[in-house]
Amino acid sequence: MADMRFALGVWRMVPFLGYHHVLMILIAIAIILLSLLLAGCSSSSPLIPNIFLISLYYQSYPPVFDAAQVDPGVTTAIANIVGRAQLEVRVGYFGICINPDGGAFLCSNNASALAGQVSVDQDPLNLIWVAETFKNSIVFPYLIIVAIILAFICFILLATFPGWHEEVDDHGSERNVKPFPSRPVSQIALALIFVSSVFVLVSVLWQHTASVAASTIAQDLGNGSVKSGVGTAAMILGWFGFALLIIVTIGLLVMILSISLLDRLVDE
């Protein structure tokens, strides 16, 4: 019975949901996805260590030999140095997570503190230091932060759009009316969400390119003893966030053009 009442209440609200409400929901989802992306590897909370840009870990596998290798035998020396190490390092925008022995992840934004938690045998090739170098020298989260701020401002501007309300016409009867939103406010919102989309696009492309390049180089240097990978969850969050912002941008553009066309038809 309670479910029926809830469903009935939601159904009654549907007619009062405006076009801009849908855009606001999409912006809210995009902000949540991008915030999760930034929060990756920032703490040991459940699922947070699984949101990472790149992972480096010790694993023995058959080395790759190529004619371009001057000293192919270096893989044996690296394997002897690595020994039985099995540490894994994951890098996020604001933190690093390590898993020294296959147990739980330890996460921090201070690589020195993490390095103090492991022995030389657990990280003989200094993967924690390599991860810190990647985070500090290559990763750039501030475009996404600015994009989130711009998207939030756009969300607030959309909240100012007029909704449905009742008015009394000349005959004394009530009717539901929804005025057009302010054109300057609509244009400002469009500009903000467009810039936000561009910033996210640049950041996600940067993230993807840098992660793939660093992953490939790290694995080649540790040929036969070190493996690396790119975080799938981080890529999905970034690209989905960008897709939602693009949908909102197109939606706002269509709305502005439609209102302009209606105004032109009414004037004629």
Side-chain angles (χ1 to χ4, degrees):
M1 190 67 179
D3 293 340
M4 290 292 295
R5 291 178 180 176
F6 176 77
L8 184 59
V10 172
W11 183 254
R12 289 177 177 175
M13 290 176 59
V14 168
F16 296 96
L17 287 176
Y19 181 78
H20 66 287
H21 291 130
V22 177
L23 300 181
M24 290 171 65
I25 293 173
L26 295 179
I27 292 177
I29 296 175
I31 291 176
I32 292 173
L33 294 180
L34 295 175
S35 299
L36 286 174
L37 174 60
L38 292 177
C41 291
S42 60
S43 73
S44 302
S45 302
L47 301 181
I48 295 299
N50 294 328
I51 304 174
F52 59 90
L53 304 179
I54 184 177
S55 68
L56 306 170
Y57 54 97
Y58 295 106
Q59 180 176 315
S60 178
Y61 62 96
V64 177
F65 294 103
D66 190 272
Q69 296 175 356
V70 177
D71 183 11
V74 72
T75 57
T76 303
I78 294 176
N80 292 332
I81 294 174
V82 170
R84 297 183 179 181
Q86 54 181 343
L87 177 133
E88 179 180 0
V89 185
R90 293 180 176 181
V91 186
Y93 276 102
F94 289 105
I96 297 174
C97 292
I98 64 171
N99 188 338
D101 51 10
F105 278 94
L106 301 174
C107 301
S108 175
N109 60 355
N110 189 338
S112 299
L114 292 175
Q117 302 293 320
V118 300
S119 64
V120 176
D121 294 336
Q122 290 176 315
D123 189 15
L125 297 183
N126 297 317
L127 291 187
I128 296 177
W129 171 68
V130 174
E132 181 191 29
T133 303
F134 174 78
K135 182 175 76 71
N136 294 337
S137 302
I138 300 177
V139 173
F140 189 78
Y142 302 105
L143 282 179
I144 294 183
I145 294 176
V146 174
I148 290 175
I149 294 174
L150 294 178
F152 182 72
I153 296 174
C154 178
F155 180 90
I156 295 175
L157 291 178
L158 289 177
T160 65
F161 282 18
W164 292 100
H165 64 275
E166 293 183 350
E167 285 188 358
V168 179
D169 58 15
D170 297 335
H171 303 286
S173 58
E174 294 182 350
R175 61 178 181 176
N176 291 323
V177 177
K178 183 181 181 182
F180 286 153
S182 169
R183 181 174 298 178
V185 174
S186 303
Q187 292 173 344
I188 293 173
L190 175 61
L192 290 174
I193 203 65
F194 174 74
V195 174
S196 178
S197 302
V198 172
F199 281 3
V200 172
L201 174 61
V202 172
S203 296
V204 173
L205 284 176
W206 188 340
Q207 163 193 324
H208 187 90
T209 304
S211 298
V212 171
S215 173
T216 303
I217 293 174
Q219 184 163 323
D220 284 349
L221 287 175
N223 190 13
S225 299
V226 175
K227 279 206 165 186
S228 58
V230 177
T232 304
M235 293 299 171
I236 292 175
L237 290 174
W239 285 113
F240 264 73
F242 167 71
L244 291 174
L245 293 179
I246 282 295
I247 292 174
V248 174
T249 302
I250 296 175
L252 271 174
L253 179 61
V254 170
M255 184 192 71
I256 293 174
L257 294 178
S258 299
I259 292 176
S260 299
L261 180 60
L262 288 174
D263 287 340
R264 193 175 305 169
L265 291 175
V266 171
D267 292 339
E268 293 177 356

